Amino acid sequence: MTAPAPVHPVDEVPPVRQLAAFGLQHVLAMYAGAVAVPLIVGGAMKLSPADLAYLITADLLVCGIATLVQCVGFWRFGVRLPIMQGCTFAAVSPMVLIGTTGGGLPAIYGSVIVAGLAIVLLAPVFGRLLRFFPPLVTGTVILIIGVSLLPVAGNWAAGGAGSKDFGEPKNLGLALFVLLVVLGVQRFAPAFLSRIAVLIGIAVGLAVAIPFGFTDFGGVGDADWLGISTPFHFGAPSFHASAVVSMLVVALVTMTETTGDLIAVGELTGRAVEPRSLADGLRADGLSTVLGGVFNTFPYTAYAQNVGLVGMTRVRSRWVVAAAGGILVLLGLLPKLGAVVAAIPAPVLGGAGLVMFGTVAASGLRTLAQVDFKDNHNLTVVAVSVAVGMLPVGVPTVYERFPDWFQTVMNSGISAGCLTAIVLNLLFNHLPTKAASAPEANGLPAGGGEQGVEQSREEVV
């Protein structure tokens, strides 16, 4: 009798208690980002507290469904990797503009539905572009993803952007305490506990934050026990040409970002993303975005902060993230539970975020270590791509005088850096040059060190 084929770590199903702990850890890592988009858009449109609460519960519900589709998958939908889904920040500015210039929420949802359908149709096209993502490009993009997320963790650690006590030493002290707890657990605790170091750090940080007055559980009492999002709660969607065009630009940006995230998770889990699986993942993004337009929420994409959590904990099972999706569905159906999670202070999340986002950047460096930087232009590709990607992160207003479509693309450091890396890689490593055809003294063509860049990721590894 032949032994059964070993199960890939991505497909392993941990025990139930580990599923719950690991899944909750993923939820806590992305919760603040998930609820930020409806809060920003709803606040800009001056919605009532009841409507804001409705947007948040609807968002959590669809976040959970989108995550389940991406991790579990059905037919040609879902990459079947540990990927958390959440509302994309790339759509915030266009949606605020659409909602506040007369279109309202129905115009936002109409454009979101069209964008989702466009993503589904364009997914196979993006899948065929995977050959333009060698380790030189993917490592650069993963590095940019991690570094561009660090300001988010910094804002959390300081108390949350816009908070009255932003930058107070007590906030940074609490974030440092959580960071030290996470590092201590990861270094000295048994293997299982080290894998939930972020969850333990957040729990210990919350326990310390309560007696020092960091928390406010007032919203828990006001929240309903049960809340169900119904389709088109704010009215039937309307379709305006300008709104649809701006959201289609957002769709291209989110597809680029999701491509980078999926490749990053493939590198971390040891299951390389192929053209077909990339198309399946993008197709799931499109389906989730259509559901967002129907169920009163917004466009969806892969969440990079959870990519860092996968790398940090080395828990590669997609069923762990599927469990996180189930928890999000519960939070969307039970607003009171969502209010409890929302009461976690920003500095607690900031301390954990520093580790997770730094892990993403370090993973990019690990991928770049496979690339040959000798006697070629690869260092220039990385340098310029990182610089372009970090420009809107360091100077958020740098493009404010440019057209809206340009800002939508370039204000995202991830999409700006990714596009730059792809173009420069084509320019330096794929277009024929005179130097490439001229033999060197050793009989090899100039630039021969670039061969490893043009190989597939599997060959390089």
Side-chain angles (χ1 to χ4, degrees), residues 153-170:
N155 280 324
W156 287 347
S163 62
K164 295 179 181 178
D165 60 349
F166 186 85
E168 288 282 346
K170 63 176 184 178

Side-chain angles (χ1 to χ4, degrees), residues 203-217:
V204 173
L206 180 60
V208 171
I210 292 175
F212 285 96
F214 282 91
T215 55
D216 179 12
F217 290 100

Side-chain angles (χ1 to χ4, degrees), residues 32-383:
V35 301
V37 174
L39 282 174
I40 294 171
V41 175
M45 296 180 63
K46 296 179 171 55
L47 297 182
S48 67
D51 285 342
L52 271 178
Y54 192 94
L55 281 182
I56 291 172
T57 54
D59 174 38
L60 293 174
L61 175 65
V62 180
C63 273
I65 296 173
T67 299
L68 288 169
V69 171
Q70 195 69 275
C71 295
V72 179
F74 68 93
W75 191 51
R76 296 299 302 279
F77 292 86
V79 72
R80 296 167 175 82
L81 286 172
I83 285 285
M84 287 291 291
Q85 297 284 106
C87 283
T88 174
F89 283 86
V92 169
S93 296
M95 289 192 300
V96 169
L97 187 63
I98 295 168
T100 56
T101 54
L105 286 173
I108 293 176
Y109 295 140
S111 62
V112 167
I113 291 172
V114 173
L117 293 174
I119 293 174
V120 172
L121 295 175
L122 290 174
V125 178
F126 260 71
R128 289 193 288 272
L129 297 178
L130 190 62
R131 63 192 180 94
F132 297 114
F133 287 85
L136 175 65
V137 174
T138 57
T140 303
V141 172
I142 296 169
L143 174 62
I144 293 171
I145 290 172
V147 177
S148 63
L149 285 172
L150 288 174
V152 177
N155 280 324
W156 287 347
S163 62
K164 295 179 181 178
D165 60 349
F166 186 85
E168 288 282 346
K170 63 176 184 178
N171 292 333
L172 295 170
L174 179 59
L176 176 61
F177 172 74
V178 173
L179 173 61
L180 294 176
V181 171
V182 172
L183 295 176
V185 171
Q186 197 169 20
R187 173 63 180 85
F188 299 107
F192 169 70
L193 292 180
S194 68
R195 291 177 177 177
I196 56 171
V198 171
L199 178 60
I200 293 174
I202 291 175
V204 173
L206 180 60
V208 171
I210 292 175
F212 285 96
F214 282 91
T215 55
D216 179 12
F217 290 100
V220 178
D222 299 332
D224 296 327
W225 279 104
L226 182 64
I228 299 176
S229 180
T230 55
F232 308 123
H233 174 78
F234 295 99
S238 58
F239 302 92
H240 302 269
S242 59
V244 169
V245 170
S246 64
M247 204 56 65
L248 287 175
V249 174
V250 170
L252 293 175
V253 173
T254 57
M255 292 179 79
T256 305
E257 292 182 350
T258 296
T259 298
D261 290 331
L262 296 185
I263 292 173
V265 169
E267 299 275 359
L268 291 171
T269 58
R271 175 175 284 179
V273 174
E274 304 295 338
R276 178 184 173 115
S277 56
L278 173 60
D280 293 347
L282 293 172
R283 201 176 283 113
D285 260 16
L287 175 62
S288 303
T289 298
V290 172
L291 289 177
V294 172
F295 286 95
N296 320 294
T297 180
F298 307 115
Y300 285 85
T301 187
Y303 260 28
Q305 49 262 58
N306 295 87
V307 175
L309 189 58
V310 171
M312 177 188 154
T313 62
R314 300 184 297 280
V315 177
R316 296 180 279 177
S317 172
R318 60 190 173 105
W319 298 104
V320 164
V321 181
I327 294 172
L328 286 172
V329 170
L330 284 177
L331 293 176
L333 296 175
L334 303 173
K336 199 171 284 292
L337 285 180
V340 172
V341 178
I344 296 175
V348 173
L349 297 174
L354 288 171
V355 184
M356 293 186 299
F357 303 160
T359 301
V360 178
S363 300
L365 294 175
R366 183 176 62 184
T367 302
L368 287 173
Q370 306 168 9
V371 178
D372 183 8
F373 288 99
K374 185 179 180 181
D375 298 328
N376 55 41
H377 300 286
N378 293 338
L379 196 62
T380 301
V381 175
V382 176

